[in-house]
């Protein structure tokens, strides 16, 4: 596998120019063949199945006001409903002496989805396409049970 971009190197002249030229001449990844180089027994490619975990990316905001930051955080934590996780707490102290804690929460539920394709790249893209709006894909795992059955 060739890497065409290194984000830590500046795009100035000199030795970095070759890297810039390689980036401009990078082959189209969609043009690479997905057919195996050796024949498959029976002439049928086994389907690859992948599984993924998704979680809602929508957040809600909670606020609490108290005399100090520790008490404000405890008040925010007490407001978090069952099935939600506390993502972030920000404390602000405007003029007046009271601490206002603002918290972000998100649903903690994780759901599993599946997809399949001729190879990993196709199956992965199909899985990403199945992620609903307002959710994020946490992980992708190759389904080992399907892979074991496909082996001769």
């Amino acid at each position: 596998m060739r890497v065409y971009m290194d984000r830590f190197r500046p795009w100035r002249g000199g030795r970095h120019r070759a890297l810039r030229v390689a980036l401009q001449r990078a082959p189209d990844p969609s043009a690479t063949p997905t057919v195996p180089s050796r024949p498959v027994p029976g002439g049928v490619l086994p389907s690859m199945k992948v599984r993924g975990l998704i979680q809602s990316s929508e957040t809600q905001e909670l606020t609490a006001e108290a005399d100090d930051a520790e008490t404000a955080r405890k008040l925010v934590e007490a407001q978090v409903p069952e099935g939600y996780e506390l993502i972030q707490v920000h404390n602000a102290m405007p003029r007046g002496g009271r601490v206002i804690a603002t918290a972000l929460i998100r649903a903690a539920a994780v759901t599993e989805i599946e997809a399949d394709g001729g190879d990993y790249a196709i199956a992965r893209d199909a899985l990403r396409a199945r992620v609903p709006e307002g959710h994020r894909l946490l992980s992708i795992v190759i389904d080992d049970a399907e892979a074991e059955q496909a082996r001769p």
Side-chain angles (χ1 to χ4, degrees):
M1 181 168 111
R2 294 177 63 186
V3 176
Y4 291 99
M5 182 168 30
D6 185 357
R7 72 172 77 164
F8 300 110
R9 292 189 181 175
W11 293 104
R12 298 180 195 143
R15 62 185 173 133
H16 302 294
R17 185 174 189 281
L19 186 62
R20 184 173 54 234
V21 170
L23 177 62
Q24 293 170 352
R25 295 182 183 163
D28 184 12
S30 63
T32 58
T34 57
V35 180
S37 59
R38 57 181 160 67
V40 178
V44 178
L45 287 174
S47 174
M48 177 171 283
K49 185 177 257 185
V50 292
R51 293 179 291 137
L53 296 177
I54 59 171
Q55 182 182 36
S56 175
S57 60
E58 297 173 1
T59 60
Q60 296 176 7
E61 194 171 286
L62 301 174
T63 57
E65 187 174 335
D67 291 329
D68 59 69
E70 185 178 332
T71 308
R73 183 177 177 95
K74 287 180 182 177
L75 290 172
V76 165
E77 289 174 351
Q79 292 180 29
V80 176
E82 185 76 25
Y84 281 78
E85 62 184 346
L86 186 61
I87 300 172
Q88 175 184 1
V89 177
H90 176 73
N91 293 327
M93 189 173 192
R95 295 181 188 171
R98 303 221 3 124
V99 175
I100 299 173
T102 306
L104 287 177
I105 61 171
R106 174 181 52 222
V110 176
T111 308
E112 185 175 303
I113 58 174
E114 294 181 351
D116 59 350
D119 63 1
Y120 176 76
I122 294 170
R124 180 198 61 211
D125 293 341
L127 185 72
R128 287 180 176 162
R130 296 195 62 199
V131 176
E133 187 71 28
H135 284 73
R136 63 190 184 129
L137 184 61
L138 299 175
S139 65
I140 300 174
V141 177
I142 298 173
D143 193 357
D144 290 335
E146 292 289 325
E148 289 296 323
Q149 292 176 358
R151 290 185 184 160

